Amino acid sequence: MSLLPSDSIPTELWENNILSLPSDLIQAYQSNLTRLGLLTSAQNGPEEGKIYGGGSVDETHNHFAHRFGVSAGRPEFLILDPKYEFENVSEEIQLSFLDGKIALLDIPCGCGAATCSLLSTIAKLRENNVVAKLPLEIIVTGGDYSKEALDIFDKLMGEIQPSLNNVGITLKWNCCIWDVRQTVETTRMIDSWFMNSSGADEYFVVICNFSGDGSKAGLIQSVSVAVENILARLHDRKSTLVWIEPKSLSALTFFKKIIGWFSRIYWFTPDIKSGTPFLIAEYEMKHPVHHAVHPSTLLVQRYHRK
């Protein structure tokens, strides 16, 4: 279930069964597209079908121009859960970000689609008095191997910060160069996350969009080692992990392999009661630049510590 009755969701976000990104996030996104000279490209659409991002500036810009919107839509749809498809996953996320001090780790963060969407959606719900404006402090650590993506992430966070402050959310953030294949970099990132969020009431991990590179040799093993490292460090802390992917054959394959690996981690348990290893949703959303409506999909798994 969700704490939000569907008729309480602001029409700016969900109207006529169509999802739209929060206006503050759209404004920040378009501002950075303009800054990077990518607005026209985003308006015209991509020249190729499969865009996964990457470490280079061109790969990062291509993904930012053509996949940021759909990537940002998935966390928003999960939080709002307008069709009541996510059991108690959405409710627990809403409760995690209701009040207190939350340490959020976003990996791989890319240009910040997941975090910016999550935070902007929560802010919009507060702005419309759908949820209470209780004191909330969020300390974000974003990890990615693209320096250009981290720079965009940083600028987007700065642009959405005022709208969060206006509804009682204190926001701090830092970015880390992080390659999932490098164990030392994972350890350094966790150290930075903990150092910057000492005394947090909850440690929240959001993992998004790893499956696009899932066919690369050794990636699943590298992801498994990195996530096990993160979860091991959370063994004595209140913590939650949410994993979000698009619905695709590569994501289904990737998720099934990862789920099997997760079953070995005794202190985390899957919080899905439907008997399936993950939840799937399909919905329509409005593009944040050219405003055409297009289909989108979402696979999600939430784990909570016992």
Side-chain angles (χ1 to χ4, degrees):
M1 64 173 292
S2 169
L3 291 176
L4 305 177
S6 59
D7 59 2
S8 72
I9 298 174
T11 56
E12 174 188 325
L13 305 180
W14 179 255
E15 186 175 25
N16 298 325
N17 292 319
I18 297 173
L19 184 77
S20 297
L21 296 183
S23 56
D24 295 324
L25 179 54
I26 293 175
Q27 182 177 350
Y29 176 51
Q30 293 182 353
S31 171
N32 279 271
L33 286 173
T34 300
R35 176 181 64 84
L36 296 168
L38 298 171
L39 183 60
T40 299
S41 177
Q43 291 170 335
N44 292 337
E47 296 180 358
E48 56 183 298
K50 295 182 178 180
I51 300 173
Y52 299 130
S56 73
V57 172
D58 286 344
E59 288 173 318
T60 296
H61 285 182
N62 197 26
H63 192 274
F64 183 60
H66 302 298
R67 293 293 181 265
F68 181 89
V70 71
S71 296
R74 294 187 187 104
E76 179 188 7
F77 188 82
L78 174 60
I79 294 168
L80 299 178
D81 193 17
K83 299 181 180 181
Y84 307 116
E85 296 175 292
F86 295 112
E87 300 180 351
N88 65 330
V89 178
S90 299
E91 179 181 353
E92 290 298 325
I93 294 173
Q94 294 164 29
L95 289 172
S96 290
F97 290 91
L98 185 62
D99 63 353
K101 183 176 182 179
I102 309 301
L104 173 63
L105 176 65
D106 181 356
I107 54 170
C109 67
C111 297
T115 290
C116 291
S117 171
L118 189 157
L119 300 183
S120 295
T121 300
I122 293 170
K124 190 60 63 175
L125 294 175
R126 284 177 165 232
E127 178 186 315
N128 286 270
N129 298 312
V130 177
V131 298
K133 299 185 183 76
L134 300 173
L136 176 62
E137 181 180 0
I138 303 175
I139 304 97
V140 178
T141 297
D144 201 275
Y145 74 122
S146 168
K147 293 181 180 180
E148 178 66 10
L150 293 178
D151 182 64
I152 296 172
F153 178 99
D154 181 68
K155 288 180 170 57
L156 284 172
M157 292 288 280
E159 292 193 32
I160 68 170
Q161 184 179 31
S163 63
L164 272 67
N165 290 343
N166 289 339
V167 292
I169 300 175
T170 301
L171 177 64
K172 300 176 183 177
W173 70 92
N174 69 293
C175 304
C176 299
I177 287 291
W178 173 66
D179 186 333
V180 69
R181 297 165 296 185
Q182 303 298 324
T183 302
V184 171
E185 290 189 7
T186 298
T187 301
R188 287 172 179 166
M189 179 180 66
I190 301 170
D191 288 344
S192 176
W193 182 34
F194 284 179
M195 180 182 68
N196 290 308
S197 54
S198 176
D201 299 305
E202 181 173 354
Y203 291 80
F204 196 99
V205 183
V206 58
I207 303 177
C208 294
N209 301 332
F210 256 132
S211 64
D213 287 333
S215 60
K216 290 185 177 180
L219 181 66
I220 290 178
Q221 177 64 24
S222 296
V223 173
S224 300
V225 170
V227 177
E228 186 166 11
N229 191 348
I230 292 168
L231 297 184
R233 297 282 295 276
L234 292 172
H235 75 96
D236 60 347
R237 303 169 191 258
K238 182 179 180 182
S239 48
T240 298
L241 182 149
V242 175
W243 199 314
I244 300 172
E245 297 284 347
K247 177 188 174 184
S248 65
L249 180 60
S250 62
L252 288 167
T253 301
F254 190 86
F255 244 148
K256 287 177 181 177
K257 291 180 179 179
I258 290 294
I259 295 301
W261 169 82
F262 258 119
S263 65
R264 305 195 335 253
I265 304 178
Y266 67 90
W267 65 89
F268 261 71
T269 181
D271 192 32
I272 298 296
K273 298 180 175 62
S274 62
T276 61
F278 36 74
L279 296 172
I280 301 175
E282 298 179 354
Y283 57 95
E284 291 188 321
M285 72 172 294
K286 184 182 294 185
H287 193 278
V289 177
H290 55 64
H291 309 303
V293 174
H294 60 86
S296 188
T297 61
L298 167 64
L299 275 71
V300 63
Q301 175 64 290
R302 172 185 175 273
Y303 284 77
H304 70 276
R305 187 171 65 83
K306 291 182 179 180

